[in-house]
């Protein structure tokens, strides 16, 4: 039996994130990949084995060399900033008694999400559904996209739903980031879309397994939904930033534009902090300016 002390630091770090920090499967996978890349780099950089104790000796110069190495591989500002954040967490875990080396990350200009109109959101979902290979797949895609726009779910949250949500009521329990659960209202149109999919799905919907299935019966992959949206937005003449996540942005922006309270919107979106939600005030202002420029005779 393998002793924990002999396991790679990246594996121990991943276990800590999943078990102790309750991070999602996707986050654990991404952070473990960063830890493995850093460890592999340090093996060559130091010309020796790297265990947890050795990681505690990582200096600012070592981090700077690693970041330069990753930059050489084509890493952009946003990705470099995310990678550096993950590296800091990994090194802090490796040596909890010492402060991790300081290195200022690249400046990242935070983009304001660009929502689409309600008519465009419905048209996009309809185009994806109409282009599906089979009617039940069209019903599935329509239901998934309606959850994103009608309930503000992240695509990963929608695809993690199980048949336990059936029969549907007026609200839906959603498990989001860091395994946090929130309750979101379920519009009649969204409820009807899910029920239509359930009625036509040819695969047995087993408790504990994903509700939304792929064409061959396995779990529906996010990449399938993104590819379908990419094709539909081209046919509709929508911009490249019209992604599945843009439907969630549109949900938030439209609610805010109709007077939704920022705190209530934070709860609906499952944001850990209000600062994450406040970006939608910028979105709403940007939308108003677009309307003004396009409609005002003096603009």
């Amino acid at each position: 039996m393998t002793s924990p002390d002999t396991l790679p630091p990246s594996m121990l770090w991943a276990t800590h994130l999943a078990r102790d920090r309750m991070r999602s499967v996707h986050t654990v996978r991404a952070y473990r990949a960063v830890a493995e890349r850093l460890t592999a780099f340090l093996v060559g950089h130091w010309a020796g084995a790297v265990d947890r104790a050795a990681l505690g000796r990582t200096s600012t110069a070592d981090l700077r060399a690693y970041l330069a190495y990753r930059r050489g591989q084509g890493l952009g500002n946003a990705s470099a900033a995310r990678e550096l954040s993950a590296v800091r967490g990994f090194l802090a875990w490796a040596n909890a008694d010492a402060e991790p080396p300081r290195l200022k990350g690249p400046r990242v200009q935070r983009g304001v999400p660009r929502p689409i109109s309600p008519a465009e959101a419905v048209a996009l979902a309809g185009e994806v559904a109409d282009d599906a290979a089979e009617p039940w797949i069209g019903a599935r895609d329509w239901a998934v996209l309606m959850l994103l726009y009608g309930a503000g779910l992240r695509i990963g949250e929608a695809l993690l739903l199980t048949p336990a949500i059936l029969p549907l009521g007026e609200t839906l329990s959603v498990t989001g980031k860091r395994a946090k659960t929130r309750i979101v209202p379920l519009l009649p149109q969204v409820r009807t879309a899910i029920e239509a999919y359930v009625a036509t799905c040819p695969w047995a919907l087993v408790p504990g397994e994903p509700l939304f299935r792929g064409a061959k019966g396995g779990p529906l992959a996010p990449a399938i939904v993104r590819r379908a949206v990419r094709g539909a937005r081209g046919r509709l003449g929508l911009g490249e930033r019209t992604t599945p996540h843009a439907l969630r942005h549109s949900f938030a922006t439209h609610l805010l534009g109709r007077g939704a309270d920022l705190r209530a919107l934070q709860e609906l979106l499952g944001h850990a902090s209000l600062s994450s939600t406040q970006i939608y005030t910028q979105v709403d202002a940007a939308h108003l300016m677009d309307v003004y420029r396009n409609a005002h005779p003096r603009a």
Side-chain angles (χ1 to χ4, degrees):
M1 183 175 179
T2 305
S3 168
D5 294 334
T6 63
L7 292 174
S10 58
M11 186 178 295
L12 294 172
W13 166 234
T15 300
H16 165 71
L17 288 173
R19 183 190 62 205
D20 304 328
R21 301 287 298 279
M22 300 292 290
R23 294 301 180 93
S24 71
V25 172
H26 302 294
T27 298
V28 172
R29 185 185 301 121
Y31 277 36
R32 178 176 176 176
V34 171
E36 288 173 345
R37 282 195 294 269
L38 175 66
T39 304
F41 170 80
L42 291 176
V43 167
H45 188 61
W46 292 339
V50 176
D51 57 12
R52 183 170 178 174
L55 287 168
R57 299 193 296 271
T58 306
S59 67
T60 300
D62 295 326
L63 273 192
R64 192 174 289 115
Y66 173 71
L67 202 58
Y69 161 72
R70 292 289 287 140
R71 288 289 211 172
Q73 294 181 323
L75 207 65
N77 276 4
S79 297
R82 286 193 296 269
E83 183 128 346
L84 188 57
S85 175
V87 164
R88 288 193 189 106
F90 178 48
L91 294 178
W93 163 84
N95 188 2
D97 297 329
E99 187 175 341
R102 292 181 176 273
L103 180 61
K104 190 174 182 179
R107 183 181 296 274
V108 179
Q109 185 174 5
R110 191 174 186 185
V112 176
R114 299 297 295 177
I116 58 177
S117 71
E120 288 171 334
V122 173
L124 179 69
E127 180 66 23
V128 170
D130 290 344
D131 192 55
E134 298 182 44
W136 78 269
I137 294 178
R140 177 201 70 191
D141 293 348
W142 173 264
V144 170
L145 296 179
M146 283 297 97
L147 277 167
L148 272 55
Y149 176 64
L153 270 63
R154 302 175 178 93
I155 187 171
E157 293 170 345
L159 300 189
L160 280 176
L161 293 174
T162 71
I165 68 170
L166 304 173
L168 297 169
E170 294 185 351
T171 60
L172 187 67
S173 178
V174 179
T175 301
K177 290 185 176 181
R178 302 188 182 185
K180 289 183 64 177
T181 300
R182 68 184 188 278
I183 302 297
V184 298
L186 205 57
L187 294 172
Q189 299 92 323
V190 180
R191 187 162 57 245
T192 298
I194 297 172
E195 289 171 346
Y197 159 70
V198 170
T200 56
C201 179
W203 307 102
L205 299 178
V206 181
E209 294 187 1
L211 175 67
F212 294 108
R213 301 300 188 85
K216 296 182 179 179
L220 176 60
I224 300 295
V225 182
R226 293 191 182 102
R227 185 165 63 235
V229 167
R230 193 159 54 242
R233 79 186 179 208
R235 293 190 295 273
L236 293 174
L238 299 174
E240 291 184 359
R241 295 172 74 176
T242 304
T243 63
H245 203 64
L247 293 175
R248 173 173 154 91
H249 289 322
S250 302
F251 163 85
T253 305
H254 297 161
L255 283 182
L256 191 64
R258 288 179 173 269
D261 175 76
L262 204 58
R263 286 285 184 188
L265 187 57
Q266 177 189 355
E267 291 297 323
L268 287 174
L269 293 171
H271 285 159
S273 66
L274 191 61
S275 61
S276 299
T277 313
Q278 285 172 331
I279 189 172
Y280 292 105
T281 60
Q282 301 174 44
V283 174
D284 196 48
H287 174 67
L288 288 175
M289 288 303 297
D290 287 343
V291 171
Y292 172 81
R293 292 191 186 100
N294 292 331
H296 197 285
R298 298 288 183 181

